[in-house]
Amino acid sequence: MIKRVFALRILAIETTERQGSIALWESGTLQYYHLLPAEDRSAATLAPEIKSVCAKQGWALGDIDRFAVTTGPGSFTGLRVGIVTTKTLGYALSKEVVGINTLDAIAIQSSHTGELDVVMDAQRNEVFSRRYLLKNGKLPKALNEVCIIDDQQWAEQLPRGIKVTGPVLKKLKNTLPAHVQIEAEVNWAPRAESVAHLAATASPIDSPLKLMPEYFRKSAAEEKLAHTNNPNPSNQT
């Protein structure tokens, strides 16, 4: 059975996709769930949304025991917004902070039993991918590290009987082999309630200031700068 922490009040934030969310979690169950305005991802707009959600539930920020957030992969902008906000709250209120891998949060949303591949868009016709083993009543078990792979190569190597999920399926679902099962679309994108669920049994970071995003690759601007500074790395000795 899944171990639950019942006395913990958790506020979870998910901002890696175009429409983020906030969840309040207590006594092993979701207490409140709120979708953020689509396309509006900034620390300035997230803070009042958090205050509003807590007020509707009758919670003061000081009553929250743990703050949780997805740390990547995901949108560079979205990750920064969620992590800066969570880090600030944890530090200012002297509360616990937990970072959750975005693919892990998506995996727990599936009711599948067996192997599950979770994928997100890595741009440039590539995906972030991680495979899990799901068993009824247990948290998903990651079978490998997060990898970046060509999206068509990923689709071609999927074994028979596997199920796939993730927001990038919006553009890839019609290219998948016939033997691949596809998770219900409602579960493709990460939700803050899933972040809270995983955070309830996760170990907090020893200092909120150590909470950092996991981009898993350099941004396009960083790669362009690196190429400008070193256009012919193969010519180096």
Side-chain angles (χ1 to χ4, degrees), residues 121-171:
D121 196 349
Q123 305 299 322
R124 307 166 207 173
N125 297 317
E126 293 178 325
V127 294
F128 297 108
S129 173
R130 196 175 201 182
R131 186 164 296 178
Y132 298 83
L133 179 62
L134 274 60
K135 293 183 178 180
N136 187 35
K138 294 185 178 181
L139 295 176
K141 178 183 178 182
L143 300 178
N144 61 352
E145 297 299 321
V146 177
C147 62
I148 300 174
I149 183 173
D150 175 83
D151 55 16
Q152 292 307 306
Q153 182 182 348
W154 167 77
E156 290 168 0
Q157 55 82 42
L158 290 170
R160 188 172 299 277
I162 199 167
K163 197 168 196 176
V164 298
T165 187
V168 74
L169 292 183
K170 289 181 179 179
K171 69 177 184 180

Side-chain angles (χ1 to χ4, degrees), residues 17 31 37 55 86 101 111 119 130 142 156 171 175 180 197-198 228 230 233-236:
E17 287 292 299
Q31 302 295 316
T86 303
N101 182 285
S111 60
V119 282
R130 196 175 201 182
E156 290 168 0
K171 69 177 184 180
T175 69
V180 172
H197 187 168
L198 291 171
T228 300
N230 188 17
S234 60
N235 293 337
Q236 291 185 346

Side-chain angles (χ1 to χ4, degrees), residues 74-77 79-80 122-124 126 128 148 213-228:
S75 153
F76 280 63
T77 299
L79 284 171
R80 285 193 292 268
Q123 305 299 322
R124 307 166 207 173
E126 293 178 325
F128 297 108
I148 300 174
E214 292 185 280
Y215 297 125
F216 295 98
R217 78 179 318 160
K218 294 180 180 179
S219 68
E222 289 173 323
E223 290 185 348
K224 183 178 180 180
L225 178 61
H227 179 74
T228 300

Side-chain angles (χ1 to χ4, degrees), residues 67-94:
F67 293 94
V69 66
T70 37
T71 55
S75 153
F76 280 63
T77 299
L79 284 171
R80 285 193 292 268
V81 168
I83 287 173
V84 167
T85 301
T86 303
K87 183 185 295 188
T88 301
L89 288 169
Y91 180 75
L93 298 170
S94 299

Side-chain angles (χ1 to χ4, degrees), residues 39-40 48 88 96 110 112 127 134-135 171 196 200 203 209 216 220:
E39 305 288 351
D40 189 3
T88 301
E96 295 178 346
S110 175
H112 179 62
V127 294
L134 274 60
K135 293 183 178 180
K171 69 177 184 180
S203 298
L209 298 180
F216 295 98

Side-chain angles (χ1 to χ4, degrees), residues 19-73:
Q19 183 165 35
S21 56
I22 300 169
L24 302 181
W25 182 276
E26 184 183 23
S27 302
T29 58
L30 178 68
Q31 302 295 316
Y32 195 93
Y33 182 72
H34 174 68
L35 285 173
L36 296 168
E39 305 288 351
D40 189 3
R41 293 177 296 179
S42 70
T45 57
L46 182 56
E49 293 281 351
I50 290 172
K51 290 182 179 179
S52 174
V53 166
C54 289
K56 290 176 181 178
Q57 184 62 21
W59 288 13
L61 283 174
D63 295 334
I64 295 168
D65 302 298
R66 180 175 292 182
F67 293 94
V69 66
T70 37
T71 55

